[in-house]
């Protein structure tokens, strides 16, 4: 009797346990089939779907007038699906012939056991179409986009270029990547358990979203002409390189930026020099490419020389330590402490007013007013004018000012800084600061980006840029306009004169370090019209041979540029 009761209890416990297990399994099954069905359905589909990307068309870059500077070219990507190959030898032979590839390379890719193996990218569309027409089992031809620059070398160091994945590498291409890149689409193909596509089952497509169009302030015609002028003077003077920068001093829009020698944007990994790349190591070649891609206007610093006298004069006028009728004497040098600092005119300029001093670009005059200003005030204005920081230009890699630590500056250092030596800034910083000093006293942010447009041309975003009011008074700015016009009409900048226009400007000739190398940088910065500047131009010539004075070789370049672009910009002769 006892055993019978014991067995009943035992059976009951087993029944309860089995029931609990069965209920748990049923509950789990209900959960999976009802509440988690979508997740497992996606997992199941993924096992039977092959995914291929459809690259989005990258947004175009257009100039101020709508001329396309960067666009896309349709190319193809050729791939093979190993599980679908029926005639591997035929595929290898066909791809070798059409793609001009060696057999070993193609064979390794075709025979590799993988879901999909890419054979070649950036294949011309005509070639891709021919391969598609062969109807080779297991061969996929997908259309793709390759960046294309219609004008090859034009503004190469400004526009920049993209890599194999169509992502920006330098210049505006990388700076505005988020607007230009677009969103890739996908092709989803259904396959069986072996990975073979099922016939009669349509492909699912997620269409790509193209990138937006970037409109910039560059003007194609002005950029082209400025580049021609830069190439001409570089050849004539056998210079290492030449930069020309043109901008609107009222709002900071850059209308041209040239850095010759430029490089071919459609072939950016081929050096634009005659160097033998085969003899270079990989590191040496990369260094050479980096140098070729450098934008000298923003990436490189230099001693500005006498163009900096615009800044010294503005600070001294603003502080009231000099007036236009102050008299000076130039014997051809000035002794500061134990140092004899020479003027460019060996015999000196003799007696002269401050106005004549700036017309003559006389170093002793600027030494005198720089010492009157003093170290503390010099640094205060240097900072006030924005020279201690970056300009904020919308290009990557902007270099900063190289300046003495204030505590290390004595009278000799101050004297040389007053006429633009013993420190370094970028040409972009120089042009921006002078723009600010002659436009009424407003510090502007130099820039290229104007607005973003969608694929239908509708405005998506307009860029806003910072302005700092009154870095100098309007009176000081107007005085500088008058002084710098007199430099061109009566002084050292006379080679920049354009008949019918009031041109203001300043020349410079500075020596590079080490001084013993006898290498020079010649430059000129000018603006027009002098009493209401609408365009500012700067030319910098690095290591010219023969005559190297800025007033002789750089000023005529800006004169020729202004002579052609002022009427084009609607600025009429008086």
């Amino acid at each position: 009797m006892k055993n019978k009761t014991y067995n009943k209890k035992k059976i009951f416990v087993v029944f309860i346990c089995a029931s609990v297990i069965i209920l748990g399994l049923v509950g789990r099954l209900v959960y999976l089939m009802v509440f988690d069905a979508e997740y497992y359905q996606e997992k199941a589909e993924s096992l039977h779907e092959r995914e291929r990307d459809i690259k989005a068309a990258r947004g175009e870059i257009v100039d101020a007038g709508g001329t396309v500077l960067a666009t896309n070219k349709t190319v193809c990507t050729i791939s093979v699906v190993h599980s679908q190959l029926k005639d591997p030898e035929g595929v290898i032979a066909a791809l070798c012939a059409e793609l001009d590839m060696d057999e070993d390379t193609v064979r390794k890719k075709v025979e590799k056991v993988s879901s999909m193996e890419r054979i070649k990218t950036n294949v011309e569309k005509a070639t891709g179409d021919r391969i598609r027409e062969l109807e080779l089992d297991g061969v996929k031809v997908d259309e793709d986009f390759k960046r294309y620059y219609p004008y090859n070398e034009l503004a190469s160091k400004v526009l920049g270029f993209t890599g194999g994945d169509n992502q920006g590498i330098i210049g505006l291409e990388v700076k505005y990547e988020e607007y230009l890149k677009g969103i890739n689409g996908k092709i989803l193909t259904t396959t069986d358990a072996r990975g073979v596509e099922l016939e009669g089952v349509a492909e699912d497509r997620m269409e790509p979203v193209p990138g937006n169009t970037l409109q910039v302030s560059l003007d194609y015609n002005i950029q082209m002409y400025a580049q021609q002028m830069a190439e001409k003077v570089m050849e004539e003077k056998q210079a290492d390189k030449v930069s020309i920068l043109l901008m609107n001093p009222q709002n900071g829009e850059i209308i041209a930026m040239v850095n010759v020698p430029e490089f071919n944007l459609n072939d950016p990994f081929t050096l634009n020099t005659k160097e033998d790349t085969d003899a270079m190591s990989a590191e040496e070649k990369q260094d050479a490419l980096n140098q070729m891609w450098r934008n000298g206007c923003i990436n490189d610093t230099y001693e500005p020389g006498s163009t900096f006298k615009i800044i010294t004069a503005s600070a001294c006028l603003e502080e009231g330590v000099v007036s236009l009728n102050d008299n000076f004497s130039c014997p051809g040098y000035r002794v500061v402490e134990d140092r004899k600092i020479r003027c460019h005119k060996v015999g000196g300029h003799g007696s002269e007013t401050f106005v004549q001093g700036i017309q003559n670009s006389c170093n002793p005059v600027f030494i005198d007013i720089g010492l009157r200003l003093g170290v503390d005030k010099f640094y205060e204005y240097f900072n006030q004018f924005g020279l201690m920081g970056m300009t904020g230009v919308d290009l990557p890699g902007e270099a900063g000012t190289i300046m003495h630590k204030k505590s290390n500056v004595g009278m000799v250092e101050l004297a040389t800084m007053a006429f633009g030596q013993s420190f370094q800034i970028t040409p972009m910083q120089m042009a921006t600061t002078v723009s600010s000093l002659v436009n009424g006293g407003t510090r502007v942010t130099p820039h290229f980006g104007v607005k973003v447009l969608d694929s239908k041309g509708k405005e998506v975003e307009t860029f806003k840029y910072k302005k700092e009011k009154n870095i100098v008074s309007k009176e000081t700015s107007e005085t500088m306009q008058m002084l710098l016009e007199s430099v061109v009409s009566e002084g050292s900048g006379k080679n920049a004169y354009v008949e019918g226009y009031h041109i203001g400007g300043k020349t410079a000739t500075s020596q590079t370090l080490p001084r013993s190398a006898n290498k020079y940088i010649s430059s000129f910065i000018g603006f027009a019209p002098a009493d209401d500047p609408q365009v500012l131009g700067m030319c910098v010539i690095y290591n010219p041979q023969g005559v190297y004075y800025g007033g002789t070789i750089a000023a005529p370049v800006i004169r020729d540029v202004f002579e052609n672009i002022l009427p084009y910009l609607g600025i009429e002769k008086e």
Side-chain angles (χ1 to χ4, degrees):
M1 191 72 179
K2 183 178 178 182
N3 287 339
K4 192 174 181 180
T5 303
Y6 175 77
N7 288 334
K8 283 183 177 180
K9 287 181 178 179
K10 192 174 181 181
I11 292 168
F12 180 74
V13 170
V14 171
F15 174 77
I16 293 297
C17 291
S19 299
V20 169
I21 291 170
I22 291 169
L23 286 172
L25 291 172
V26 170
R28 178 63 178 164
L29 188 60
V30 169
Y31 177 79
L32 293 176
M33 293 178 68
V34 177
F35 299 102
D36 220 9
E38 188 176 340
Y39 170 77
Y40 283 99
Q41 186 176 350
E42 289 176 1
K43 293 284 281 184
E45 286 175 357
S46 69
L47 292 172
H48 292 277
E49 285 183 341
R50 180 174 291 109
E51 185 178 287
R52 308 201 311 271
D53 281 340
I54 310 173
K55 275 192 181 177
R58 192 171 174 84
E60 293 183 329
I61 300 177
V62 301
D63 83 340
T67 300
V68 177
L69 303 177
T71 186
N72 303 295
K73 189 177 181 180
T74 302
V75 292
C76 295
T77 296
I78 313 299
S79 308
V80 293
V81 180
H82 187 270
S83 61
Q84 296 178 10
L85 289 170
K86 293 181 180 178
D87 181 15
E89 292 301 323
V91 167
I92 291 169
L95 294 184
C96 285
E98 292 291 348
L99 300 177
D100 193 25
M101 295 174 67
D102 64 89
E103 184 180 334
D104 287 343
T105 302
V106 175
R107 184 175 294 279
K108 284 178 184 177
K109 290 176 178 287
V110 170
E111 293 180 350
K112 184 177 180 181
V113 181
S114 61
S115 59
M116 181 177 285
E117 187 68 20
R118 189 173 292 176
I119 304 297
K120 192 173 183 180
T121 60
N122 292 330
V123 175
E124 291 295 325
K125 187 176 185 300
T127 303
D129 289 343
R130 285 199 303 271
I131 294 172
R132 188 184 286 113
E133 288 168 3
L134 294 174
E135 297 184 347
L136 300 168
D137 290 318
V139 176
K140 297 295 179 186
V141 181
D142 292 321
E143 288 195 355
D144 202 344
F145 294 101
K146 180 182 180 182
R147 204 58 163 162
Y148 175 66
Y149 303 91
Y151 304 106
N152 294 316
E153 296 184 347
L154 188 78
S156 62
K157 298 176 184 181
V158 173
L159 295 175
F161 58 91
T162 61
D165 58 356
N166 240 13
Q167 186 174 22
I169 291 181
I170 66 168
L172 295 173
E173 289 279 25
V174 69
K175 183 67 178 181
Y176 289 97
E177 174 72 17
E178 62 177 300
Y179 297 100
L180 295 167
K181 65 183 179 181
I183 302 171
N184 287 344
K186 295 185 186 301
I187 297 175
L188 302 173
T189 306
T190 305
T191 66
D192 63 16
R194 296 171 297 161
V196 177
E197 289 184 18
L198 297 177
E199 293 184 12
V201 180
E203 291 181 334
D204 286 333
R205 292 174 65 92
M206 295 172 58
E207 294 299 330
V209 179
N212 289 318
T213 295
L214 173 68
Q215 185 165 48
V216 296
S217 56
L218 279 181
D219 185 293
Y220 161 76
N221 293 308
I222 295 176
Q223 178 76 24
M224 182 69 81
Y225 184 73
Q227 183 168 319
Q228 291 170 354
M229 293 302 301
E231 289 169 346
K232 180 183 176 185
V233 74
M234 185 173 76
E235 183 179 353
E236 288 175 350
K237 299 306 298 179
Q238 293 297 294
D240 291 344
K241 57 181 181 175
V242 176
S243 295
I244 294 179
L245 175 60
L246 298 165
M247 63 186 287
N248 183 335
Q250 301 295 336
N251 60 17
E253 288 187 353
I254 300 169
I255 56 178
M257 182 182 280
V258 174
N259 296 274
V260 293
E262 303 274 1
F263 63 92
N264 188 346
L265 286 167
N266 293 308
D267 189 17
F269 293 94
T270 298
L271 291 175
N272 59 359
T273 63
K274 296 178 181 178
E275 294 178 82
D276 181 12
T277 55
D278 293 336
M280 292 181 177
S281 66
E283 186 177 346
E284 287 171 337
K285 185 175 181 181
Q286 188 59 55
D287 287 344
L289 287 171
N290 289 338
Q291 286 300 315
M292 181 179 76
W293 299 334
R294 284 181 75 82
N295 184 329
C297 287
I298 66 158
N299 298 143
D300 297 329
T301 58
Y302 78 120
E303 285 190 352
S306 293
T307 52
F308 189 80
K309 290 171 181 174
I310 299 172
I311 294 164
T312 302
S314 298
C316 291
L317 286 167
E318 186 76 358
E319 190 60 23
V321 299
V322 68
S323 66
L324 300 184
N325 295 319
D326 282 4
N327 288 302
F328 300 85
S329 176
C330 170
Y333 61 89
R334 188 71 83 231
V335 176
V336 180
E337 292 183 340
D338 61 343
R339 191 75 57 87
K340 190 175 187 178
I341 304 173
R342 298 188 180 279
C343 185
H344 67 88
K345 188 174 181 180
V346 178
H349 293 102
S351 179
E352 56 189 339
T353 64
F354 176 63
V355 174
Q356 293 169 326
I358 196 168
Q359 290 173 352
N360 296 329
S361 195
C362 179
N363 285 351
V365 169
F366 281 86
I367 291 171
D368 289 352
I369 66 172
L371 294 177
R372 288 183 194 177
L373 188 64
V375 174
D376 289 338
K377 283 294 180 181
F378 185 91
Y379 271 75
E380 183 180 311
Y381 278 102
F382 203 88
N383 186 57
Q384 182 175 314
F385 292 169
L387 287 160
M388 287 297 192
M390 308 286 191
T391 65
V393 65
D394 51 347
L395 284 175
E398 182 181 10
T401 299
I402 301 173
M403 188 66 169
H404 293 285
K405 191 176 179 181
K406 183 178 170 183
S407 58
N408 295 333
V409 175
M411 291 300 99
V412 173
E413 289 78 18
L414 179 59
T416 56
M417 286 193 295
F419 58 85
Q421 288 188 6
S422 76
F423 67 94
Q424 296 189 5
I425 58 177
T426 63
M428 186 78 261
Q429 183 65 276
M430 187 71 213
T432 302
T433 305
V434 173
S435 291
S436 307
L437 296 176
V438 300
N439 70 3
T442 300
R443 174 79 181 187
V444 295
T445 299
H447 60 273
F448 293 94
V450 176
K451 56 188 173 184
V452 176
L453 310 170
D454 65 18
S455 57
K456 296 179 181 177
K458 184 180 177 183
E459 192 173 308
V460 174
E461 183 176 346
T462 299
F463 299 112
K464 306 290 183 185
Y465 296 93
K466 179 182 175 185
K467 285 187 176 183
E468 293 178 28
K469 295 285 187 180
N470 303 323
I471 64 167
V472 291
S473 66
K474 187 177 180 182
E475 292 72 25
T476 296
S477 181
E478 289 173 348
T479 301
M480 289 309 303
Q481 292 172 1
M482 178 271 294
L483 287 172
L484 294 171
E485 182 185 357
S486 75
V487 171
V488 173
S489 61
E490 303 175 47
S492 59
K494 60 182 179 295
N495 285 331
Y497 174 73
V498 179
E499 186 179 355
Y501 291 99
H502 294 285
I503 309 291
K506 186 74 190 72
T507 63
T509 309
S510 56
Q511 198 170 9
T512 62
L513 295 172
R515 309 293 187 201
S516 58
N518 290 320
K519 291 185 177 182
Y520 296 87
I521 297 175
S522 308
S523 63
F524 178 81
I525 190 164
F527 53 92
D531 58 349
D532 182 24
Q534 298 302 308
V535 61
L536 178 137
M538 183 176 186
C539 175
V540 186
I541 305 171
Y542 296 85
N543 192 28
Q545 303 304 302
V547 176
Y548 52 79
Y549 297 111
T552 306
I553 65 172
V557 175
I558 296 300
R559 176 197 64 211
D560 289 346
V561 170
F562 278 180
E563 201 166 31
N564 282 273
I565 73 167
L566 292 178
Y568 173 80
L569 291 171
I571 302 171
E572 297 180 359
K573 290 185 178 182
E574 294 185 10

